[in-house]
Each structure stands twice: as structure tokens, then as C-alpha cells.
Amino acid sequence: MCGIVAYAGPNQAFDFLIKGLQRLEYRGYDSAGIALLNGDLNIYKQKGKVQDLLDETSGKNIEGTTGIGHTRWATHGEPNKVNAHPHLSQSGDIAVIHNGIIENYATIKEALVKRGHTFLSDTDTEVLIHLIEDIKQHEDVDLFEAVRLALNEVIGAYAIVIISKDDPGTIIGARKGSPLVIGIGKDKKEYFMASDATPIVEYTRDVIYLDDNEIAHIKDSELTIKTIDNVEKTPYIQKLEVTLEAIEKGGYDHFMLKEIYEQPKSIYDSMRGRFNQTDLTFAMRSLREYESKIKNLNRIIIVGCGTSWHAGLVGEYLIEEFARLPVEVEYASEFRYRDPVITEDDLVIAISQSGETADTLAALEMAKEKGATIYGICNVVGSSIPRMTDAGAYTHAGPEIGVASTKAFTAQVTVLTLIALGIADIRGKISKDRLREIFAELEVLPTKVQEVLDTCSEKVIEIAKRYKDVDHCLYLGRGINFPVALEGALKLKEISYIHAEGYPAAEMKHGPIALIDENMPVVVVAPKRGYYEKVLSNIQEVKARKGNIISIVTHGDEKVAGLSDYFVEIPDTEDCLVPILATIPMQLLSYHMAVMRGCNVDQPRNLAKSVTVE
Ligand code: G6P
């Protein structure tokens, strides 16, 4: 949700800022802007994408060795040029970029208006920079101190970076709730800041992840970090592991397609070294360290948003089946505002690709306060959730840039499978023979995923051509494949803008069946496992109403395939692993339908990948 970049050093800032914004565009693409210091403070902004900003700067003065840049996902104020960041102080001498929300901006604005401030935009961000300048002038303090004092008055979430005409070579960055990474360049003479590490990795591998309530001050090539209470902190420098290739398209038309095709590897990476097929043991430190806690667990609560919530629903089936522990799955946004009953014997698992989703973070904080053990399943290394949890497991899917989540989902489900089995093993609920069978299937899972990708693509394109112009689509699944139907429907609606709904197959009779006619495609997950015969009956019900069936069936299946208008085959596997294989044709179907409809699949309208506001 909004991407920010900043540079101070000996080189020109412009190229880093633009390239960085393009890398962060997944976080929002309503407008983009940059500010450059070169004696003057030059600001360029444009509604729309970073490319529109680039066109806007063409032929203009883009000199400057200190600069900031922003790509916006609108919260306060419509997405237009005036509301685009950077925003300026009353004098026009100080500029800020901001990711987050200043909740008490209206009160602050009212006070500032009384003191003679005038505002150009509708944003909360402009209020913040006016406040900073107001404090600087009235308290007669330097810029850093003014920022610190202002942040003490602010309620809300932010990652901000500030530059000032009077302080060339200086950037001040601060965070609370929204991420901010600092890159330390050559000879500690140049510094980068960004919402995540992707803009930085090309320049340096040495980074510092700022913590909440910390302010970084780069001045004359010196970095100091203080808390908003003015306590100096020793910077903890980490090495980046992400590679440049991982964040580029590598010959694919879209990041989403690349990420779909990366799944044999990402699934392999998500389980690599985590179980041992020979002695049937687990090598997950997070489980080992909490063994006694796991033995005495009362229940597990899984929280997440969007696709991660769907992974959580699959996790519920897995953990209940294998570990025989009650599991509840909650939307983080609902959970945080209830007053849920949580005890010290509960384990709260947060699932999040980005590790930054504001609602998921807040839900975890609440669970922690109530005494639960908190566990994170995240993809982005060093993000906020892994840094606040008691324990956790990274999904190791590699950077996911396409806004619609694909490889992160299948990696989350893979990790949840291992967690479910690991907990079952610790609690003595699964036999070694059963573990052996499932481990053997896990071993060949990446190969089977590759097989799905190799065999279904042409068929899926044919189906996409046939149905690309529909207005509605229904997705059905039963048991552990019900969340797969939800995820299939979400994928289609978010990137193709076709209205789609996922339902448990049997629930169709309680409403959606009224929608079915010869124009309605119904995608059914119907593997020859689990509730096969029951799903078959549901398919008959759709056919009786002239609905079109697109089924995902086990290789060699004839019954469902025979009833279907189109079918896609997946290899047979354990029930618990079907969701992973069945998801892939659905991802491809959404992708191809969206591309055929001319949609921007990597950056669907109104969405953002990292939702750092509630
Ligand atoms: C946004 C993204 C989704 C994602 C959800 C949760 O809506 O567009 O793809 O599933 O946020 O994000 P998280 O990073 O917490 O998994």
C-alpha cells in the first residue's frame, strides 16, 4: 500500500528512484511522484503509473543527489495529481512521502488552519509535513527534532521519508506500522531507503530494517537511528538474500505467469530440508522449540486476509485431520475488533505473504497481549510479522510481484501441511506408516506440479477463449477443496473483473443454483478422492439446469469428465495435497481470461499487493 524510495549519496538519484518505484508499483499505482534536491527542491508528480511520471519528467531538470519517490494507493483523497506525493510544507521547502494513514489528521489540520496554514490536497500526509515545519519554526529546533516531536503527536501508521531544501544530503525516515528498509551503499557513503528491499538489491546487500517508532537520520553520509523517545539505537545490519533475477520477469509476459510457472521450485523450496523421509522426522526448529507447548495446546486460531485466509482454511482441514486439534480460521480484520476468548494454551498462526498486512499484524498483537503463543507463516524475509512472532516458518517462495497471489498460496499450503503433520507427530496422532506415505507424496509433489503446468496449459487457453466474455462464474468444491474454490473465484474476480463466487458444492442448492443457466460456467474441483460421488451429484444438478461444467478431475477419470463441457486433468495424489495441484489450472484460467479481456494482470485496478492500512 504505497511504495516509497529515497536516496542520498554521491550519485544522481533519479534513476534509482524511478527504477525503485517501478519495482514497488505492486504496492499501489494510482499516482507517482518524486522530489529532487539540487539547490532547488524540484517536484514532479503524475496521476497513474510510474511510466506516466517518467513521461512527465521528460526534458525537465532531473538533477539531484538527494531525492525521494512515491507510488500511491489512495486512502485520503482521490487519485489525482494534486493528491500525489511528495507533499510540501507551508513554505514549500520540506517534502515528504508517506505510506500509511495519519488517523488524527483532521484535528491537527484544524489547529494548523487556525495558525494560518493553507492546504492544497485532501491528504493526511500534507497535514503531517505542515505540522513538522510548524514545530520546526515555533520550537526553533532542527529538522530531525521537529520530525521526532511531530511523530509524538501523530496517531496512525506510517513509513515516511523527508528531505529539505535547507539540508542537502540529508534524508530522514521513520516508521510505525508500515515497513521501511535502509540500504547502506559503497563505503557507507550512500544510502537508500525503500518500502521493501527490491529497489535496493541491485545496489547493496547490506540493509537495516527499521523498527516501529524508530527514526533514521542520514546526514553528511552518517547514519544515526533514534527512537521517537530520543533514545539512540545501534543499527543492526543484515545481508539481503534476494537476487536480482528473482525480481525480474525473466522472459515471461507478466510476473503472474512467471510466478505460476515457478511453483515446482517454490513448492520444493518451501519444504526443502524440513522433513526426513528416511527416519520420518521433522527438521522445523519452530516446532521443535515449542514441543511442550504443542503437546498442551488447547486449539489453534489461524488469521489472515485474502488469499492467505484461504490458505488458512486449507490449514484448518489439514490440522484437524492430522493433529486432531480444534482450529478456527478468522479474517484478521474481524478478529482484531472482536473480543475473542484467547488463552495461554492457544496458538495463533498468522499467514501473510508480505508479512506487513496491517489487519494481520494488529490481530497478532492482540493475541500476544492476551497471552497466546503467536506463530507466523510469511514469505518476505525480515518483514514485520516474522519480527514480532514467537516462532514461525518462512514459505521461501521467493519474491512475489504480481498483485494476485499464486506461488505464495501453494507455498503456504505446503508449509501448513508440514505444520499439521509435525504437530500430529508431536502429539502422537499420526502413525509412522502414514507419515511415510505422505512424505513420499510430498517428495514427488514438485514433479506433479510441473506435470500439471506442462499438460493443462493448452486446454486452459481453449476454455478461456470460450468463456472470456461471461459476466459471472461459480466455483464449487467440497471438504478441503472448498477453500480451493474460494481461491479460484478470488483469482478470477481480482484480475479479470468477472464476478465470481466460491461455494461449498452442496451449498449451491441454498442460493447460487438460482443463477445457473446456459450462460453460467461452473468450475468444479472434482478429484477422484474425498467426496467424489457427492460432487458428482452436484454436477448433475448443475447440468440439469443447463449450466456449463468446467471440471478439474483426476487423471483418467471418466465419470465427471464425461459430464463436463471442459475438463482439466491433474495427477492423483494424497487428499491433503489435492488443493495444491487443483489450484494451478485455476490460476492459469484466471490469467488467460484476464489477458484475453485486455486486463493488466500484474496490477489489477484498485488493488495493491501489500495492504498496510486497515
Ligand atoms: C492483498 C493482496 C492479496 C493478498 C492479501 C493478503 O489483498 O492483493 O494477494 O492475499 O492482500 O496479503 P498478505 O501479504 O498478508 O498475504
Side-chain angles (χ1 to χ4, degrees):
M1 208 117 288
C2 296
I4 63 181
V5 281
Y7 177 85
N11 299 315
Q12 291 297 316
F14 184 80
D15 282 352
F16 165 74
L17 296 178
I18 290 290
K19 225 194 285 174
L21 289 181
Q22 278 163 337
R23 295 237 162 94
L24 293 177
E25 217 166 16
Y26 72 85
R27 302 177 69 87
Y29 27 84
D30 287 332
S31 64
I34 52 169
L36 292 160
L37 272 181
N38 55 7
D40 279 338
L41 178 57
N42 289 330
I43 302 239
Y44 303 106
K45 320 184 193 191
Q46 195 49 275
K47 180 176 183 301
K49 302 272 168 66
V50 177
Q51 185 56 48
D52 299 305
L53 172 68
L54 199 55
D55 297 342
E56 165 75 10
T57 55
S58 161
K60 302 203 170 127
N61 179 2
I62 49 162
E63 299 274 301
T65 53
T66 304
I68 54 180
H70 187 271
T71 179
R72 178 170 188 243
W73 188 86
T75 56
H76 292 67
E78 66 173 279
N80 56 27
K81 193 168 175 174
V82 176
N83 288 330
H85 299 215
H87 286 285
L88 290 174
S89 61
Q90 180 74 30
S91 69
D93 289 346
I94 313 175
V96 67
I97 46 172
H98 169 213
N99 166 207
I101 290 185
I102 307 298
E103 284 168 15
N104 57 340
Y105 83 102
T107 327
I108 300 173
K109 187 171 184 176
E110 209 180 298
L112 290 171
V113 168
K114 283 191 188 136
R115 295 157 79 99
H117 286 253
T118 50
F119 293 90
L120 305 175
S121 76
D122 307 317
T123 65
D124 49 342
T125 307
E126 193 184 10
V127 174
L128 176 63
I129 197 64
H130 276 241
L131 174 68
I132 289 169
E133 184 170 71
D134 192 78
I135 292 175
K136 184 172 183 291
Q137 288 165 351
H138 285 92
E139 307 280 332
D140 194 19
V141 289
D142 67 11
L143 185 61
F144 179 86
E145 186 60 3
V147 171
R148 193 185 73 74
L149 293 172
L151 293 181
N152 274 286
E153 287 186 32
V154 155
I155 301 170
Y158 53 80
I160 53 167
V161 187
I162 288 166
I163 56 173
S164 161
K165 208 166 153 181
D166 298 334
D167 299 88
T170 294
I171 46 178
I172 297 173
R175 79 157 265 176
K176 183 182 178 193
S178 302
L180 193 60
V181 188
I182 303 168
I184 304 167
K186 226 170 163 229
D187 305 326
K188 297 194 175 169
K189 290 273 177 276
E190 64 176 351
Y191 290 88
F192 309 85
M193 288 191 193
S195 298
D196 71 30
T198 54
I200 296 175
V201 63
E202 200 173 332
Y203 303 87
T204 177
R205 300 209 153 257
D206 294 334
V207 294
I208 297 162
Y209 292 91
L210 215 58
D211 274 327
D212 274 351
N213 296 315
E214 286 183 352
I215 314 174
H217 190 190
I218 289 146
K219 192 179 174 175
D220 305 327
S221 306
E222 286 292 320
L223 166 71
T224 39
I225 296 179
K226 285 186 177 173
T227 67
I228 62 169
D229 301 322
N230 219 8
V231 178
E232 187 150 351
K233 300 289 284 270
T234 312
Y236 171 55
I237 301 174
Q238 302 184 39
K239 283 267 177 240
L240 275 181
E241 281 174 16
V242 64
T243 62
L244 197 54
E245 301 79 71
I247 56 172
E248 289 181 337
K249 274 193 209 148
Y252 285 90
D253 287 343
H254 298 97
F255 280 111
M256 182 177 175
L257 192 62
K258 174 184 175 231
E259 287 154 9
I260 291 173
Y261 275 87
E262 278 173 349
Q263 288 175 108
K265 178 170 185 318
S266 54
I267 290 169
Y268 172 74
D269 287 344
S270 70
M271 57 188 175
R272 188 175 42 179
R274 287 183 157 160
F275 65 93
N276 186 329
Q277 230 189 319
T278 319
D279 62 8
L280 302 173
T281 54
F282 291 85
M284 293 176 78
R285 209 182 57 203
S286 57
L287 295 183
R288 247 200 342 262
E289 280 175 4
Y290 282 81
E291 225 174 279
S292 66
K293 179 97 207 172
I294 287 169
K295 280 190 178 137
N296 297 312
L297 275 184
N298 188 21
R299 95 190 138 149
I300 291 178
I301 301 167
I302 302 179
V303 294
C305 302
T307 290
S308 295
W309 182 75
H310 293 157
L313 290 176
V314 179
E316 177 180 20
Y317 285 91
L318 293 167
I319 297 169
E320 292 201 338
E321 181 189 336
F322 293 124
R324 309 305 302 151
L325 253 177
V327 180
E328 286 167 34
V329 186
E330 303 253 7
Y331 284 115
S333 54
E334 289 295 315
F335 183 72
R336 63 179 288 196
Y337 286 116
R338 285 201 288 110
D339 186 13
V341 180
I342 299 174
T343 70
E344 287 181 6
D345 294 329
D346 290 333
L347 175 71
V348 176
I349 301 180
I351 306 178
S352 175
Q353 187 285 130
S354 62
E356 299 291 351
T357 302
D359 283 321
T360 312
L361 269 165
L364 270 189
E365 268 156 22
M366 184 190 67
K368 190 173 194 164
E369 263 168 38
K370 288 180 184 276
T373 303
I374 57 172
Y375 190 99
I377 299 177
C378 296
N379 194 39
V380 177
V381 175
S383 57
S384 298
I385 291 175
R387 288 190 296 136
M388 73 171 285
T389 43
D390 298 309
Y394 281 116
T395 42
H396 297 306
E400 191 181 67
I401 316 271
V403 165
S405 187
T406 53
K407 64 174 180 172
F409 174 76
T410 48
Q412 287 165 345
V413 173
T414 310
V415 170
L416 280 160
T417 308
L418 293 176
I419 289 172
L421 294 170
I423 295 178
D425 189 43
I426 290 169
R427 293 171 68 92
K429 300 285 182 195
I430 190 162
S431 69
K432 290 291 176 197
D433 283 345
R434 188 76 188 107
L435 268 185
R436 184 175 298 109
E437 284 167 4
I438 300 174
F439 280 179
E441 253 328 281
L442 277 168
E443 281 283 320
V444 294
L445 185 63
T447 317
K448 290 192 175 178
V449 169
Q450 188 64 54
E451 190 181 327
V452 177
L453 288 166
D454 292 343
T455 56
C456 82
S457 182
E458 258 176 51
K459 191 71 157 291
V460 168
I461 291 172
E462 192 189 333
I463 302 171
K465 274 188 194 145
R466 163 69 180 83
Y467 293 107
K468 70 178 173 29
D469 295 319
V470 298
D471 294 324
H472 308 277
C473 194
L474 191 61
Y475 283 73
L476 302 177
R478 272 186 109 118
I480 198 167
N481 293 311
F482 158 52
V484 176
L486 289 178
E487 175 57 12
L490 174 64
K491 218 64 346 178
L492 186 68
K493 78 181 115 184
E494 65 184 343
I495 61 167
S496 74
Y497 318 138
I498 295 170
H499 169 230
E501 284 192 59
Y503 259 87
E507 273 294 305
M508 179 187 66
K509 291 191 279 298
H510 301 286
I513 200 162
L515 301 170
I516 292 174
D517 61 15
E518 64 278 10
N519 300 316
M520 174 71 110
V522 182
V523 181
V524 190
V525 189
K528 224 173 182 167
R529 292 218 161 228
Y531 310 94
Y532 179 70
E533 295 295 337
K534 304 246 176 250
V535 176
L536 199 60
S537 310
N538 300 132
I539 290 174
Q540 298 279 16
E541 289 155 12
V542 175
K543 284 309 285 179
R545 282 143 190 101
K546 298 195 169 53
N548 283 215
I549 295 287
I550 303 164
S551 59
I552 294 167
V553 300
T554 307
H555 190 74
D557 174 84
E558 284 177 2
K559 278 198 212 161
V560 172
L563 281 173
S564 304
D565 296 85
Y566 293 90
F567 63 91
V568 178
E569 292 182 313
I570 56 172
D572 191 25
T573 186
E574 288 282 344
D575 289 72
C576 60
L577 301 178
V578 171
I580 293 173
L581 297 184
T583 295
I584 290 160
M586 292 190 179
Q587 295 170 341
L588 282 170
L589 183 64
S590 308
Y591 171 81
H592 288 297
M593 282 173 87
V595 170
M596 286 175 198
R597 288 164 70 94
C599 302
N600 184 342
V601 291
D602 280 341
Q603 294 172 351
R605 71 182 178 212
N606 302 337
L607 296 177
K609 186 151 191 71
S610 185
V611 182
T612 52
V613 295
E614 62 172 289

